[in-house]
Amino acid sequence: MFHWLNDHRRKKILEQEFPAEWRKILQNQVAHYQFLNNAERFHLEQLIQVFAQEKSFEGCKGLEITDEIRVVISAEASMLLLGLPHDLYKHLNTIFIYPSTVVLPRARQSMFSTTPLVVNTEIPISGQAFKRGPVILVWDAVEKAARHPEFGHNVVYHEFAHILDMLNGHADGVPPLHDKESYATWSKVCTKEFNSLIKKSQQGKSTFLDSYGATNEAEFFAVATEYFFDKPLKMEKNLRDLYDILKGFYNQDTAAREKNYRPKF
Ligand SMILES: [Zn+2]
């Protein structure tokens, strides 16, 4: 069976010790790092080490790439992979990082092409992901989200959820699931919650998930992923079925993790 460490170069990278300064960055800036147990931290650090080395980080608009930027982004992208069989986002080579919210020509991705089509409208974005790369991120949004999961918005989780979704070809809100039987349940649960989100948003009712998730199935999965990692206890309580299929897919029990981490009174 394929394993991400069946690769000589990666093994070589991991012969080096995880830098103490990088661990300090994780402790100070990536809130979810604190939630992990020792085995998970060890695994995350391995993923970070390889991710940070293999991917190219390109600063845009004068942004200088620091260890802080490299480590925080690598950590959050890797967090999604902790329980997954994966090849470390194989098709993604480059991450472009802007200092703050950027207004880009609206890029629309065709299902059949890997290059963005540029159309005329301009929209402010804090991130964007393309099939087979690149990913675009905005550093001030990344930094804030890493420190403050309680807001329920995390652009790195969001964009890398899109990359996982696109692993089987389409941005359709269905990443490659672990077995055939899971597809029926996935479709049933997501269709129900997606339609409910659309309906409530149209009626102007408040919704648990951000109404941006009603845009299409791909955004629904990306937004649900943000909540799964950032607000798992609330999600488990409010949208139990959705929480359960994400728990099955990511193979992580984020609610249990948050419960254990919380100080007990
Ligand atoms: Zn999106």
Side-chain angles (χ1 to χ4, degrees), residues 99-111:
S100 56
T101 304
V102 61
V103 179
L104 290 179
R106 191 189 186 117
R108 197 183 62 210
Q109 192 183 12
S110 153
M111 282 269 193

Side-chain angles (χ1 to χ4, degrees), residues 129-167:
F130 298 99
K131 190 171 162 184
R132 294 180 177 265
V135 164
I136 298 171
L137 294 169
V138 163
W139 174 241
D140 63 4
V142 171
E143 192 194 16
K144 187 172 155 208
R147 286 176 193 267
H148 296 287
E150 68 277 12
F151 294 136
H153 286 294
N154 186 305
V155 65
V156 183
Y157 294 158
H158 184 107
E159 301 307 334
F160 282 84
H162 282 317
I163 299 281
L164 292 176
D165 181 1
M166 290 187 280
L167 280 179

Side-chain angles (χ1 to χ4, degrees), residues 42-53:
F42 177 73
H43 184 33
L44 187 78
E45 289 179 359
Q46 285 193 317
L47 292 166
I48 292 169
Q49 245 175 317
V50 177
F51 187 99
Q53 187 118 343

Side-chain angles (χ1 to χ4, degrees), residues 73-103:
I73 292 174
S74 301
E76 300 218 298
S78 299
M79 194 76 78
L80 303 192
L81 302 180
L82 270 184
L84 285 177
H86 65 87
D87 194 9
L88 207 65
Y89 306 106
K90 184 165 120 192
H91 301 301
L92 170 77
N93 296 314
T94 310
I95 302 155
F96 291 105
I97 305 132
Y98 287 82
S100 56
T101 304
V102 61
V103 179

Side-chain angles (χ1 to χ4, degrees), residues 16 34 42 57 103 109 117 122 124 127 181 205 216 226:
Q16 294 153 21
Q34 311 293 339
F42 177 73
F57 293 73
V103 179
Q109 192 183 12
L117 301 171
E122 294 201 325
E181 297 73 45
K205 288 187 183 160
N216 56 42
E226 292 179 74

